[in-house]
DNA sequence: CTGAAAGCGCTTACAG
DNA sequence: CTGAAAGCGCTTACAG
């Protein structure tokens, strides 16, 4: 292991001062073209790599950002965080990942640590950024970007999936297929992400001049069980329904199970769209379920990208939306789905 | 934003030299008990936090480790990497995540970067650590730990799931249930992880003095389609089979689909065990499929823990195995599984 | 356009 | 047990 060349070495060999070497290598300040060329050539010959630790120390830029998650190992946080750290890695930025685990005490402890590391910025991942926002006191003034599925004050820097747009797209897809009695089986009330999908769906139905089947969205839970029950309720009602937008894939599959049991064909009789693309990564010839992929990895990437922009001073507050990707599957475009297909 | 106290501030206020302050605060060298107490008290009063950038600069320890993945966003790498970064974050270690994407050129570029950052260690995530091993040249001498599902030379530091143990446990579970004609439907040949499961399974069957049904493991692919075909092949053979260990959940589900179509009940007639716990995180009252959870997050944690030990000089080479967790589901312990249950 | 020098905030021989 | 001083490898006023 040979000792690495320092900038002084480069300067000495190139016959210039350390000051000039620094300027030439960093491309700042006035240096004659020939001097610059000579220094750069020398640096390459010596395989000079600037010591980032020294640079960080003197500039105060650590090239490290914090990633603060409510629950880093959660099903939704994970791809988002990975998208972010992967992007940051490509940009040669390190991350320190901290799981707040809900308690403000831990959060405060973590913020102290991050301050000691002089992080360049902070990415907050989770659905309740307001809480984190509160704790981010004045004396910890680094750029903060929120990656979240819920809406937040317009004064923050936020990146989130466009749940509203997805709801709208779902309605439009079903309408475009010629369906006329479209229901919406959603989950819990007061989940911002779910609410936004309801909104978008409702808006699209209204502008198509089409009432929502079953008299409006049916609220329940996130479970497959609720989808099965909702299916029964729809069939019992006797009301015409030929398409359903479900709040997630579990509900969609529950609906399908009930319909199949009753001999109702999907999509022939009733088309179904889910949400989450839960079966992503399972290799199969075709997608059984029409659904939306929230592209959480992309959300993470965009959030990281934006954080670097804020750090660089070239960004203004507001929400950036990432469009969920519609996955066209057999539950809307056929052929008729069999249970084995969805396994 | 008030200026943070430096160690000099603490020294001055406490009436000692910078040297003494440093020693008192770090607990090294000889300092009288009272002096130490005074310095520590002063530091707390001034809310002193040592500047890690300065410390890193002088000690050369960056408190940053590299995470080099073959495919960071892959289904298996993701939980592993998150487990590692999460553990490291708790220990106040930052990570720079790099996705090698297979090409040695990119890999070399990344290693140069990591050297410039003076990382303390490197975690290599992926199934082909040997390749990375090759590129990790002599002059980049930092501790390296491999987190992988395949075996590697005993001279390396490796953390991996105990695939062999899982194969063994699968056979033992089925034998314990009283099954006597146990087959093994596996995937591709020459996948080290899958091979190890075959080995463990075979060993357990041998020590129970029980031949493998169907004359030995059936090799195919990772797809559900293969499971369906294998099911047909088993039924066509006319040979007695009352239990199957499948190499993954896709295959297990394919087997189930075929059996159900033919009126064969699971687990009553044939019990099935899968692998991967692919349905983890899907909320349901009971687990439909008996399977193994590879605990990849734990593998990542252990690998990170071990890396810190190697960096600290308190570890010796060898493989650490993480035991996959058996998930007991209805496909081995009933009641009879219906397609809707597995959806 | 170029350079001598100060300084970032610590750790650590070295001397007492 | 304690302290004065050097040094880690850069950046950046300041002066020429």
């Amino acid at each position: 292991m040979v000792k690495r060349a320092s900038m002084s070495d480069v300067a000495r060999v190139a016959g210039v001062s350390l000051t000039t070497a620094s300027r030439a290598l960093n491309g700042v300040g006035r240096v004659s073209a020939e001097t610059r060329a000579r220094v750069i050539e020398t640096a390459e010959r010596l395989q000079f790599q600037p010591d980032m630790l020294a640079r960080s120390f003197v500039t105060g830029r650590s090239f490290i950002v914090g990633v603060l998650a409510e629950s880093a190992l959660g099903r939704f946080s994970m791809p988002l965080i990975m998208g972010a750290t992967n992007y940051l890695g490509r940009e040669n930025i390190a991350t320190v990942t901290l799981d707040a685990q809900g308690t403000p005490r831990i959060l405060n402890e973590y913020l102290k640590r991050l301050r000691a590391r002089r992080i360049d910025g902070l990415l907050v991942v989770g659905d309740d950024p307001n809480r984190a926002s509160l704790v981010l006191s004045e004396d910890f003034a680094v750029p903060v970007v929120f990656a979240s599925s819920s809406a937040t004050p317009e004064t923050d820097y936020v990146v989130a999936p466009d749940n509203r747009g997805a709801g709208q797209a779902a309605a439009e897809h079903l309408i475009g297929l010629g369906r006329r009695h479209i229901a919406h089986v959603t989950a819990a009330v007061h989940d911002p992400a779910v609410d936004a999908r309801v909104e978008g769906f409702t808006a699209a139905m209204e502008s198509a001049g089409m009432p929502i089947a079953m008299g409006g969205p049916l609220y329940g839970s996130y479970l497959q069980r609720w989808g099965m029950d909702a299916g029964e309720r729809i069939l019992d009602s006797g009301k015409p329904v030929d398409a359903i937008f479900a709040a997630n894939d579990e509900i969609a599959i529950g609906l399908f199970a009930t319909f199949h049991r009753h001999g109702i064909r999907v999509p022939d009789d009733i088309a179904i769209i889910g949400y989450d693309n839960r079966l992503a990564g399972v290799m199969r010839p075709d997608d059984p379920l029409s659904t939306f992929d929230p592209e959480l990895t992309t959300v993470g990437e965009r959030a990281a990208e934006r954080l670097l922009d804020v750090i660089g001073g070239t960004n203004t507050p507001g929400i950036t939306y990432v469009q969920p990707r519609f996955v066209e599957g057999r539950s809307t475009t056929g052929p008729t789905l069999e249970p084995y297909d969805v396994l």
Side-chain angles (χ1 to χ4, degrees), chain A:
Chain A
M1 170 149 173
V2 77
K3 201 175 174 330
R4 295 171 48 202
S6 74
M7 197 181 277
S8 315
D9 296 331
V10 175
R12 189 167 27 73
V13 174
V16 297
S17 73
L18 182 57
T19 308
T20 300
S22 173
R23 283 200 277 251
L25 258 13
N26 292 314
V28 308
R30 320 206 55 73
V31 183
S32 76
E34 45 206 327
T35 304
R36 165 159 297 150
R38 182 153 40 90
V39 172
I40 289 177
E41 185 276 321
T42 308
E44 273 165 8
R45 191 150 43 80
L46 301 185
Q47 298 192 57
F48 168 70
Q49 290 262 118
D51 184 327
M52 288 188 69
L53 245 33
R55 176 178 289 172
S56 289
F57 173 56
V58 56
T59 61
R61 268 210 69 177
S62 60
F63 301 97
I64 301 176
V65 303
V67 174
L68 195 61
E70 274 179 47
S71 166
L73 300 175
R75 189 164 139 206
F76 297 107
S77 299
M78 216 153 71
L80 209 156
I81 294 177
M82 280 304 308
T85 54
N86 210 32
Y87 180 90
L88 292 166
R90 275 202 301 275
E91 299 294 320
N92 204 7
I93 305 291
T95 55
V96 37
T97 307
L98 298 172
D99 197 319
Q101 296 168 95
T103 84
R105 242 231 338 240
I106 294 186
L107 188 53
N108 267 314
E109 170 61 26
Y110 281 165
L111 290 178
K112 266 176 63 182
R113 280 201 207 168
L114 293 175
R115 189 181 304 131
R117 291 205 79 137
R118 298 214 255 159
I119 57 161
D120 294 336
L122 184 62
L123 191 63
V124 178
V125 176
D127 269 342
D128 192 4
N130 297 308
R131 186 175 42 193
S133 210
L134 286 177
V135 194
L136 265 34
S137 52
E138 287 298 308
D139 65 38
F140 186 54
V142 300
V144 179
V145 167
F146 297 92
S148 146
S149 51
S150 53
T152 44
E154 295 280 345
T155 52
D156 284 337
Y157 297 84
V158 182
V159 179
D162 186 5
N163 282 290
R164 196 180 189 289
Q168 206 167 326
E172 284 164 1
H173 180 70
L174 294 170
I175 293 170
L177 291 175
R179 307 290 167 154
R180 288 298 170 262
H181 306 283
I182 310 173
H184 183 26
V185 177
T186 183
V189 207
H190 299 321
D191 172 329
V194 167
D195 286 350
R197 303 210 272 272
V198 174
E199 257 182 58
F201 175 80
T202 306
M205 292 294 279
E206 268 173 18
S207 59
M210 213 178 272
I212 297 174
M214 297 294 293
L218 305 179
Y219 287 90
S221 76
Y222 298 90
L223 305 178
Q224 182 173 331
R225 181 76 242 168
W226 158 236
M228 298 174 85
D229 293 348
E232 298 287 356
R233 199 194 295 186
I234 288 167
L235 297 183
D236 288 351
S237 76
K239 292 181 185 160
V241 169
D242 59 11
I244 303 175
F245 172 42
N248 70 15
D249 291 344
E250 273 88 347
I251 296 172
I253 287 173
L255 287 164
F256 168 65
T258 292
F259 294 155
H260 186 264
R261 221 189 299 259
H262 285 277
I264 311 276
R265 291 165 305 164
V266 173
D268 317 56
D269 304 319
I270 302 185
I272 302 178
I273 296 182
Y275 196 93
D276 281 345
N277 201 19
R278 204 195 75 193
L279 298 171
V282 177
M283 291 183 69
R284 42 170 92 246
D286 52 9
D287 291 299
L289 194 62
S290 290
T291 186
F292 287 89
D293 191 310
E295 302 281 9
L296 295 171
T297 300
T298 306
V299 174
E301 277 174 15
R302 290 278 178 288
E305 187 181 11
R306 195 141 174 228
L307 180 57
L308 296 189
D309 284 349
V310 179
I311 291 171
T314 62
N315 208 299
T316 50
I319 303 188
T320 305
Y321 286 109
V322 172
Q323 197 60 43
R325 177 173 54 87
F326 181 61
V327 177
E328 187 161 326
R330 287 173 53 184
S331 66
T332 57
T333 49
T336 310
L337 211 54
E338 298 297 331
Y340 303 112
D341 300 322
V342 198
L343 291 185

